[in-house]
Amino acid sequence: MQRRGEFRVSVNKDYLVFASAHFITFAGHRCEGLHGHNYRARVTVEGALNEEAWFVFDFVELKKIMRKLCDEIDHLVLLPTESSRITVEEKGGTVTVGVDGKPRYVFPREDCALLPIPNTTVEMLAQLLATRLRSELDAHGARGLTAIEMEVEENFGQSAVYRVTINTPS
Ligand SMILES: [Zn+2]
């Protein structure tokens, strides 16, 4: 059997969705109001075949991990903790959000996902999910993976793709 070449496996399921609230800042002083999306994630993992199983990575595991990552932020307000304009402060079970130094929202802590990104754009969400997926795959003992491509869609036909290549030691 041919040993060269690479394979890609993709997961694109109706349940890989998260319905979340967010707002983003734009260049200059513009800032959106709070609103929500039914976000949808799609993932492609590339790599060498696992030569015992003849697959790149177990679909069942990949789907489970992706479902878990989506569930972690489903039904929450997504807030960036690395923004230069949006401040997010946790205190006594609440999260106070300010924009450009002015108070904007107060949420119960359990309704928020504080994310280590500078803005909750689909680009940053895709990168965050890819990073999370990569550490989960490492923890699951995935070997020989060469790339992860994560797509996050916030509206029909409106999505961002983040691709990261993984240098596997040979
Ligand atoms: Zn939006």
Side-chain angles (χ1 to χ4, degrees):
M1 183 68 73
Q2 176 68 259
R3 290 284 193 264
R4 286 166 182 273
E6 293 202 334
F7 294 85
R8 319 162 40 104
V9 293
S10 299
V11 171
N12 171 20
K13 295 277 179 190
D14 287 345
Y15 55 75
L16 294 183
V17 292
F18 49 102
S20 310
H22 87 143
F23 65 97
I24 67 169
T25 55
F26 296 92
H29 285 281
R30 276 176 60 221
C31 179
E32 290 183 316
L34 189 68
H35 63 279
H37 296 282
N38 289 316
Y39 290 96
R40 186 170 167 145
R42 298 187 188 95
V43 69
T44 301
V45 173
E46 298 180 21
L49 276 189
N50 172 321
E51 291 188 1
E52 277 177 68
W54 302 98
F55 59 40
V56 175
F57 191 73
D58 184 356
F59 272 123
V60 175
E61 285 302 317
L62 184 58
K63 287 187 287 185
K64 255 192 226 163
I65 296 168
M66 283 303 298
R67 182 72 194 260
K68 178 181 135 178
L69 298 184
C70 290
D71 282 350
E72 283 174 0
I73 51 178
D74 189 28
H75 290 183
L76 296 176
V77 181
L78 310 181
L79 296 167
T81 59
E82 292 178 359
S83 167
S84 57
R85 295 181 53 204
I86 299 170
T87 51
V88 176
E89 281 173 26
E90 269 189 85
K91 207 177 185 181
T94 63
V95 172
T96 304
V97 181
V99 179
D100 295 330
K102 294 187 189 125
R104 173 78 78 105
Y105 303 108
V106 178
F107 302 110
R109 174 65 184 93
E110 65 268 25
D111 290 346
C112 300
L114 308 192
L115 307 175
I117 53 178
N119 209 3
T120 54
T121 58
V122 273
E123 287 85 345
M124 293 296 96
L125 294 173
Q127 185 180 38
L128 181 72
L129 285 175
T131 306
R132 294 276 297 110
L133 175 63
R134 187 175 170 180
S135 60
E136 290 284 339
L137 289 171
D138 283 346
H140 280 75
R143 297 276 175 276
L145 300 183
T146 53
I148 293 172
E149 201 171 278
M150 185 71 70
E151 178 173 8
V152 175
E153 183 183 83
E154 67 174 12
N155 267 316
F156 295 114
Q158 187 172 324
S159 66
V161 178
Y162 175 73
R163 179 186 169 85
V164 60
T165 46
I166 300 166
N167 296 313
T168 42
S170 50

mmCIF file with all atom_site columns, all heavy atoms in Angstrom, residues 22-24 32 35-37 39 120 154, ligand 1:
data_model
loop_
_atom_site.group_PDB
_atom_site.id
_atom_site.type_symbol
_atom_site.label_atom_id
_atom_site.label_alt_id
_atom_site.label_comp_id
_atom_site.label_asym_id
_atom_site.label_entity_id
_atom_site.label_seq_id
_atom_site.pdbx_PDB_ins_code
_atom_site.Cartn_x
_atom_site.Cartn_y
_atom_site.Cartn_z
_atom_site.occupancy
_atom_site.B_iso_or_equiv
_atom_site.pdbx_formal_charge
_atom_site.auth_seq_id
_atom_site.auth_comp_id
_atom_site.auth_asym_id
_atom_site.auth_atom_id
_atom_site.pdbx_PDB_model_num
ATOM   1  N  N   . HIS A 1 22  ? -22.766 38.424 21.316 1.00 0.00 ? 22  HIS A N   1
ATOM   2  C  CA  . HIS A 1 22  ? -21.462 39.101 21.275 1.00 0.00 ? 22  HIS A CA  1
ATOM   3  C  C   . HIS A 1 22  ? -21.630 40.519 20.735 1.00 0.00 ? 22  HIS A C   1
ATOM   4  O  O   . HIS A 1 22  ? -22.713 40.910 20.300 1.00 0.00 ? 22  HIS A O   1
ATOM   5  C  CB  . HIS A 1 22  ? -20.469 38.297 20.411 1.00 0.00 ? 22  HIS A CB  1
ATOM   6  C  CG  . HIS A 1 22  ? -20.518 38.636 18.956 1.00 0.00 ? 22  HIS A CG  1
ATOM   7  N  ND1 . HIS A 1 22  ? -19.391 38.674 18.154 1.00 0.00 ? 22  HIS A ND1 1
ATOM   8  C  CD2 . HIS A 1 22  ? -21.561 38.971 18.144 1.00 0.00 ? 22  HIS A CD2 1
ATOM   9  C  CE1 . HIS A 1 22  ? -19.742 39.010 16.927 1.00 0.00 ? 22  HIS A CE1 1
ATOM   10 N  NE2 . HIS A 1 22  ? -21.029 39.185 16.889 1.00 0.00 ? 22  HIS A NE2 1
ATOM   11 N  N   . PHE A 1 23  ? -20.587 41.272 20.785 1.00 0.00 ? 23  PHE A N   1
ATOM   12 C  CA  . PHE A 1 23  ? -20.511 42.533 20.030 1.00 0.00 ? 23  PHE A CA  1
ATOM   13 C  C   . PHE A 1 23  ? -19.037 42.756 19.741 1.00 0.00 ? 23  PHE A C   1
ATOM   14 O  O   . PHE A 1 23  ? -18.178 42.304 20.490 1.00 0.00 ? 23  PHE A O   1
ATOM   15 C  CB  . PHE A 1 23  ? -21.112 43.715 20.821 1.00 0.00 ? 23  PHE A CB  1
ATOM   16 C  CG  . PHE A 1 23  ? -20.366 44.073 22.078 1.00 0.00 ? 23  PHE A CG  1
ATOM   17 C  CD1 . PHE A 1 23  ? -19.423 45.111 22.065 1.00 0.00 ? 23  PHE A CD1 1
ATOM   18 C  CD2 . PHE A 1 23  ? -20.582 43.390 23.261 1.00 0.00 ? 23  PHE A CD2 1
ATOM   19 C  CE1 . PHE A 1 23  ? -18.734 45.457 23.216 1.00 0.00 ? 23  PHE A CE1 1
ATOM   20 C  CE2 . PHE A 1 23  ? -19.883 43.720 24.416 1.00 0.00 ? 23  PHE A CE2 1
ATOM   21 C  CZ  . PHE A 1 23  ? -18.960 44.754 24.397 1.00 0.00 ? 23  PHE A CZ  1
ATOM   22 N  N   . ILE A 1 24  ? -18.748 43.384 18.622 1.00 0.00 ? 24  ILE A N   1
ATOM   23 C  CA  . ILE A 1 24  ? -17.350 43.627 18.293 1.00 0.00 ? 24  ILE A CA  1
ATOM   24 C  C   . ILE A 1 24  ? -17.083 45.118 18.164 1.00 0.00 ? 24  ILE A C   1
ATOM   25 O  O   . ILE A 1 24  ? -17.999 45.918 17.959 1.00 0.00 ? 24  ILE A O   1
ATOM   26 C  CB  . ILE A 1 24  ? -16.902 42.900 16.995 1.00 0.00 ? 24  ILE A CB  1
ATOM   27 C  CG1 . ILE A 1 24  ? -17.591 43.477 15.759 1.00 0.00 ? 24  ILE A CG1 1
ATOM   28 C  CG2 . ILE A 1 24  ? -17.122 41.409 17.087 1.00 0.00 ? 24  ILE A CG2 1
ATOM   29 C  CD1 . ILE A 1 24  ? -16.980 42.986 14.443 1.00 0.00 ? 24  ILE A CD1 1
ATOM   30 N  N   . GLU A 1 32  ? -20.301 47.711 18.001 1.00 0.00 ? 32  GLU A N   1
ATOM   31 C  CA  . GLU A 1 32  ? -21.646 47.171 17.821 1.00 0.00 ? 32  GLU A CA  1
ATOM   32 C  C   . GLU A 1 32  ? -22.392 47.102 19.144 1.00 0.00 ? 32  GLU A C   1
ATOM   33 O  O   . GLU A 1 32  ? -21.785 47.049 20.206 1.00 0.00 ? 32  GLU A O   1
ATOM   34 C  CB  . GLU A 1 32  ? -21.560 45.717 17.320 1.00 0.00 ? 32  GLU A CB  1
ATOM   35 C  CG  . GLU A 1 32  ? -21.063 45.539 15.926 1.00 0.00 ? 32  GLU A CG  1
ATOM   36 C  CD  . GLU A 1 32  ? -21.094 44.067 15.542 1.00 0.00 ? 32  GLU A CD  1
ATOM   37 O  OE1 . GLU A 1 32  ? -20.695 43.213 16.345 1.00 0.00 ? 32  GLU A OE1 1
ATOM   38 O  OE2 . GLU A 1 32  ? -21.517 43.783 14.417 1.00 0.00 ? 32  GLU A OE2 1
ATOM   39 N  N   . HIS A 1 35  ? -25.739 41.487 20.310 1.00 0.00 ? 35  HIS A N   1
ATOM   40 C  CA  . HIS A 1 35  ? -26.668 40.738 19.464 1.00 0.00 ? 35  HIS A CA  1
ATOM   41 C  C   . HIS A 1 35  ? -26.187 39.290 19.412 1.00 0.00 ? 35  HIS A C   1
ATOM   42 O  O   . HIS A 1 35  ? -25.140 38.972 19.977 1.00 0.00 ? 35  HIS A O   1
ATOM   43 C  CB  . HIS A 1 35  ? -26.728 41.341 18.051 1.00 0.00 ? 35  HIS A CB  1
ATOM   44 C  CG  . HIS A 1 35  ? -25.417 41.272 17.344 1.00 0.00 ? 35  HIS A CG  1
ATOM   45 N  ND1 . HIS A 1 35  ? -24.406 42.185 17.570 1.00 0.00 ? 35  HIS A ND1 1
ATOM   46 C  CD2 . HIS A 1 35  ? -24.918 40.386 16.459 1.00 0.00 ? 35  HIS A CD2 1
ATOM   47 C  CE1 . HIS A 1 35  ? -23.360 41.866 16.834 1.00 0.00 ? 35  HIS A CE1 1
ATOM   48 N  NE2 . HIS A 1 35  ? -23.639 40.763 16.155 1.00 0.00 ? 35  HIS A NE2 1
ATOM   49 N  N   . GLY A 1 36  ? -26.943 38.424 18.754 1.00 0.00 ? 36  GLY A N   1
ATOM   50 C  CA  . GLY A 1 36  ? -26.574 37.009 18.763 1.00 0.00 ? 36  GLY A CA  1
ATOM   51 C  C   . GLY A 1 36  ? -26.465 36.401 17.381 1.00 0.00 ? 36  GLY A C   1
ATOM   52 O  O   . GLY A 1 36  ? -26.933 36.980 16.398 1.00 0.00 ? 36  GLY A O   1
ATOM   53 N  N   . HIS A 1 37  ? -25.814 35.246 17.324 1.00 0.00 ? 37  HIS A N   1
ATOM   54 C  CA  . HIS A 1 37  ? -25.724 34.477 16.091 1.00 0.00 ? 37  HIS A CA  1
ATOM   55 C  C   . HIS A 1 37  ? -25.913 32.999 16.422 1.00 0.00 ? 37  HIS A C   1
ATOM   56 O  O   . HIS A 1 37  ? -25.569 32.568 17.522 1.00 0.00 ? 37  HIS A O   1
ATOM   57 C  CB  . HIS A 1 37  ? -24.343 34.596 15.440 1.00 0.00 ? 37  HIS A CB  1
ATOM   58 C  CG  . HIS A 1 37  ? -24.003 35.965 14.981 1.00 0.00 ? 37  HIS A CG  1
ATOM   59 N  ND1 . HIS A 1 37  ? -24.499 36.509 13.832 1.00 0.00 ? 37  HIS A ND1 1
ATOM   60 C  CD2 . HIS A 1 37  ? -23.191 36.904 15.530 1.00 0.00 ? 37  HIS A CD2 1
ATOM   61 C  CE1 . HIS A 1 37  ? -24.009 37.728 13.673 1.00 0.00 ? 37  HIS A CE1 1
ATOM   62 N  NE2 . HIS A 1 37  ? -23.207 38.006 14.691 1.00 0.00 ? 37  HIS A NE2 1
ATOM   63 N  N   . TYR A 1 39  ? -23.935 30.415 15.498 1.00 0.00 ? 39  TYR A N   1
ATOM   64 C  CA  . TYR A 1 39  ? -22.643 30.127 14.887 1.00 0.00 ? 39  TYR A CA  1
ATOM   65 C  C   . TYR A 1 39  ? -22.573 28.652 14.526 1.00 0.00 ? 39  TYR A C   1
ATOM   66 O  O   . TYR A 1 39  ? -23.193 27.810 15.182 1.00 0.00 ? 39  TYR A O   1
ATOM   67 C  CB  . TYR A 1 39  ? -21.516 30.403 15.878 1.00 0.00 ? 39  TYR A CB  1
ATOM   68 C  CG  . TYR A 1 39  ? -21.287 31.852 16.209 1.00 0.00 ? 39  TYR A CG  1
ATOM   69 C  CD1 . TYR A 1 39  ? -21.860 32.417 17.340 1.00 0.00 ? 39  TYR A CD1 1
ATOM   70 C  CD2 . TYR A 1 39  ? -20.460 32.638 15.424 1.00 0.00 ? 39  TYR A CD2 1
ATOM   71 C  CE1 . TYR A 1 39  ? -21.616 33.735 17.678 1.00 0.00 ? 39  TYR A CE1 1
ATOM   72 C  CE2 . TYR A 1 39  ? -20.213 33.958 15.750 1.00 0.00 ? 39  TYR A CE2 1
ATOM   73 C  CZ  . TYR A 1 39  ? -20.793 34.505 16.880 1.00 0.00 ? 39  TYR A CZ  1
ATOM   74 O  OH  . TYR A 1 39  ? -20.549 35.807 17.205 1.00 0.00 ? 39  TYR A OH  1
ATOM   75 N  N   . THR A 1 120 ? -14.292 39.521 19.403 1.00 0.00 ? 120 THR A N   1
ATOM   76 C  CA  . THR A 1 120 ? -15.010 38.262 19.137 1.00 0.00 ? 120 THR A CA  1
ATOM   77 C  C   . THR A 1 120 ? -15.465 38.185 17.676 1.00 0.00 ? 120 THR A C   1
ATOM   78 O  O   . THR A 1 120 ? -16.628 37.893 17.381 1.00 0.00 ? 120 THR A O   1
ATOM   79 C  CB  . THR A 1 120 ? -16.213 38.095 20.085 1.00 0.00 ? 120 THR A CB  1
ATOM   80 O  OG1 . THR A 1 120 ? -17.040 39.261 19.987 1.00 0.00 ? 120 THR A OG1 1
ATOM   81 C  CG2 . THR A 1 120 ? -15.759 37.896 21.517 1.00 0.00 ? 120 THR A CG2 1
ATOM   82 N  N   . GLU A 1 154 ? -21.014 32.782 10.938 1.00 0.00 ? 154 GLU A N   1
ATOM   83 C  CA  . GLU A 1 154 ? -21.928 33.501 11.845 1.00 0.00 ? 154 GLU A CA  1
ATOM   84 C  C   . GLU A 1 154 ? -23.273 33.776 11.187 1.00 0.00 ? 154 GLU A C   1
ATOM   85 O  O   . GLU A 1 154 ? -24.246 34.069 11.861 1.00 0.00 ? 154 GLU A O   1
ATOM   86 C  CB  . GLU A 1 154 ? -21.303 34.778 12.400 1.00 0.00 ? 154 GLU A CB  1
ATOM   87 C  CG  . GLU A 1 154 ? -21.058 35.866 11.399 1.00 0.00 ? 154 GLU A CG  1
ATOM   88 C  CD  . GLU A 1 154 ? -20.563 37.174 12.025 1.00 0.00 ? 154 GLU A CD  1
ATOM   89 O  OE1 . GLU A 1 154 ? -20.192 37.200 13.206 1.00 0.00 ? 154 GLU A OE1 1
ATOM   90 O  OE2 . GLU A 1 154 ? -20.552 38.169 11.291 1.00 0.00 ? 154 GLU A OE2 1
HETATM 91 ZN ZN  . ZN  B 2 .   ? -22.220 39.663 15.297 1.00 0.00 ? 1   ZN  B ZN  1
#
